[in-house]
């Protein structure tokens, strides 16, 4: 479990406590302190998780995508997931993830159902439900045992909207290796990652929420030296940026396959 963290020590301790409370005990936690002032306390994390937590630090804040990628690269597990420092896992989240990957070895990536909570969650709940319903309707997954199993039609559905649930991946290491990490040139790159993943892997989603997304007015990242209002305005620019980077990725893959095809013909 990789946790990018910046200047929210109280929320971070709630997040790691939600991990300590898991019904499934076999996990490691990588916390990446992205330039917090003061630095995150290693002893406070170990008081909750013991030796199952490792703390890395960026002396200067580098932004959410770089912090997430650092956590992914440092992880040792076969399945790697991310948890924001202000969010929580449901007590049976890891048990559910372990069960899905164990019982369905063909699954490459399991996206995690999300329940928004907090003082500003009401409107977010409605928009999340509407976006998720649209994806389910347009992709028509097969549902078994509380899990949605998707076909190739997920790609087209995600081009229209990427619900928050599809921004919470738990993926096999092989899937991270194929898709790569998050685009570090964009502040919000989770949507592009989900669309790319839908093209190259077998995808599933938990129907029930197993993560909790805290809505509190500061959910927009932390690049050094930028104000919250500026970050909000940059969301639009970053959406365009993520789309361009995704298109570039697809063009590079297309060129590679053309070269392979010519080699086979030759």
């Amino acid at each position: 479990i990789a946790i990018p963290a910046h200047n929210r020590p109280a929320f971070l301790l709630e997040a790691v406590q939600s991990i300590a409370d898991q019904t499934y005990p076999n996990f490691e936690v990588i916390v990446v302190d992205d330039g917090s002032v003061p630095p995150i306390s290693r002893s406070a994390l170990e008081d909750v998780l013991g030796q199952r937590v490792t703390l890395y630090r960026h002396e200067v804040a580098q932004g959410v995508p770089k912090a997430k990628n650092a956590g992914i690269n440092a992880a040792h597990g076969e399945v790697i997931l991310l948890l924001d420092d202000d969010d929580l896992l449901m007590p049976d989240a890891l048990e559910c993830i372990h069960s899905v990957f164990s019982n369905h070895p063909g699954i490459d990536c399991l996206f995690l159902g999300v329940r928004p909570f907090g003082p500003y969650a009401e409107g977010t709940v409605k928009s999340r439900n509407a976006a998720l319903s649209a994806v389910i309707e347009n992709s028509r997954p097969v549902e078994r045992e509380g899990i949605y199993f998707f076909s190739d039609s997920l790609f087209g559905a995600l081009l229209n909207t990427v619900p928050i649930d599809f921004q919470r991946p738990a993926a096999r290491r092989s899937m991270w290796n194929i898709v790569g990490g998050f685009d570090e040139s964009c502040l919000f790159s989770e949507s592009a990652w989900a669309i790319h993943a839908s093209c190259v892997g077998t995808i599933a989603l938990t129907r029930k929420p197993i993560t909790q997304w805290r809505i509190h007015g500061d959910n927009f990242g932390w690049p050094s030296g930028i104000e919250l209002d500026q970050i909000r305005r940059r969301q639009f620019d970053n959406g365009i940026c993520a789309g361009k980077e995704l298109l570039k990725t697809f063009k590079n893959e297309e060129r590679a396959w053309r070269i392979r095809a010519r080699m086979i013909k030759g």
Side-chain angles (χ1 to χ4, degrees), residues 177-242:
N177 290 339
I178 294 170
V179 180
F182 297 100
D183 178 10
E184 296 182 357
S185 67
C186 296
L187 188 59
F188 306 96
S189 54
E190 292 85 355
S191 296
W193 194 95
I195 295 171
H196 191 183
S198 73
C199 296
V200 299
T202 303
I203 307 299
L205 166 72
T206 66
R207 178 172 182 175
K208 73 175 185 178
I210 62 174
T211 66
Q212 300 188 75
W213 179 30
R214 189 190 305 264
I215 309 300
H216 55 91
D218 187 20
N219 297 88
F220 300 100
W222 52 76
S224 183
I226 188 169
E227 298 296 327
L228 180 60
D229 287 343
Q230 292 175 285
I231 295 173
R232 286 173 172 152
R233 290 194 295 270
R234 283 183 62 194
Q235 287 184 87
F236 299 102
D237 292 335
N238 276 280
I240 296 171
C241 172

Side-chain angles (χ1 to χ4, degrees), residues 92-114:
D92 62 344
L94 297 186
E95 185 174 351
C96 177
I97 294 167
H98 175 261
S99 175
V100 171
F101 281 112
S102 297
N103 295 332
H104 304 281
I107 294 296
D108 299 304
C109 178
L110 175 69
F111 287 102
L112 312 180
V114 173

Side-chain angles (χ1 to χ4, degrees), residues 129-141 150 153-154 157-163 166 205:
N129 291 345
L132 184 58
S133 295
V135 168
I136 297 299
E137 181 178 352
N138 291 329
S139 61
R140 300 192 178 281
F150 292 90
S153 60
L154 177 62
L158 291 181
L159 286 180
N160 295 319
T161 182
V162 182
F166 286 91
L205 166 72

Side-chain angles (χ1 to χ4, degrees), residues 18 27 33 37 49 128 133 137 144 186 189 193 222 253:
S18 77
F27 60 81
D33 178 2
V37 180
L49 290 171
R128 175 262 179 185
S133 295
E137 181 178 352
R144 297 195 306 271
C186 296
S189 54
W193 194 95
W222 52 76
E253 291 175 354

Side-chain angles (χ1 to χ4, degrees), residues 24-206:
Y24 180 78
N26 186 15
F27 60 81
E28 69 165 353
V29 178
I30 308 293
V31 176
V32 179
D33 178 2
D34 196 42
S36 296
V37 180
I40 291 171
S41 167
R42 181 185 300 273
S43 62
L45 297 175
E46 291 179 346
D47 285 345
V48 180
L49 290 171
Q51 298 305 306
R52 291 182 293 184
V53 61
T54 302
L55 177 63
Y56 294 90
R57 176 169 169 80
H58 296 158
E59 292 300 327
V60 177
Q62 299 182 28
V64 179
K66 289 186 178 181
K68 287 185 175 182
N69 287 342
I72 293 166
N73 292 335
H76 297 93
E78 165 60 20
V79 174
I80 303 170
L81 62 143
L82 294 139
L83 179 67
D84 287 351
D85 63 342
D86 55 344
D87 292 345
L88 306 172
L89 292 179
M90 299 291 195
D92 62 344
L94 297 186
E95 185 174 351
C96 177
I97 294 167
H98 175 261
S99 175
V100 171
F101 281 112
S102 297
N103 295 332
H104 304 281
I107 294 296
D108 299 304
C109 178
L110 175 69
F111 287 102
L112 312 180
V114 173
R115 183 184 76 85
F117 77 105
Y120 307 106
E122 183 177 356
T124 303
V125 169
K126 294 179 180 178
S127 60
R128 175 262 179 185
N129 291 345
L132 184 58
S133 295
V135 168
I136 297 299
E137 181 178 352
N138 291 329
S139 61
R140 300 192 178 281
V142 174
E143 182 188 351
R144 297 195 306 271
E145 301 173 357
I147 304 296
Y148 291 116
F149 296 88
F150 292 90
S151 66
D152 294 343
S153 60
L154 177 62
F155 173 74
L158 291 181
L159 286 180
N160 295 319
T161 182
V162 182
I164 186 62
D165 307 62
F166 286 91
Q167 300 173 43
R168 298 293 187 267
R172 297 187 192 274
R173 178 175 296 278
S174 57
M175 186 66 166
W176 288 109
N177 290 339
I178 294 170
V179 180
F182 297 100
D183 178 10
E184 296 182 357
S185 67
C186 296
L187 188 59
F188 306 96
S189 54
E190 292 85 355
S191 296
W193 194 95
I195 295 171
H196 191 183
S198 73
C199 296
V200 299
T202 303
I203 307 299
L205 166 72
T206 66

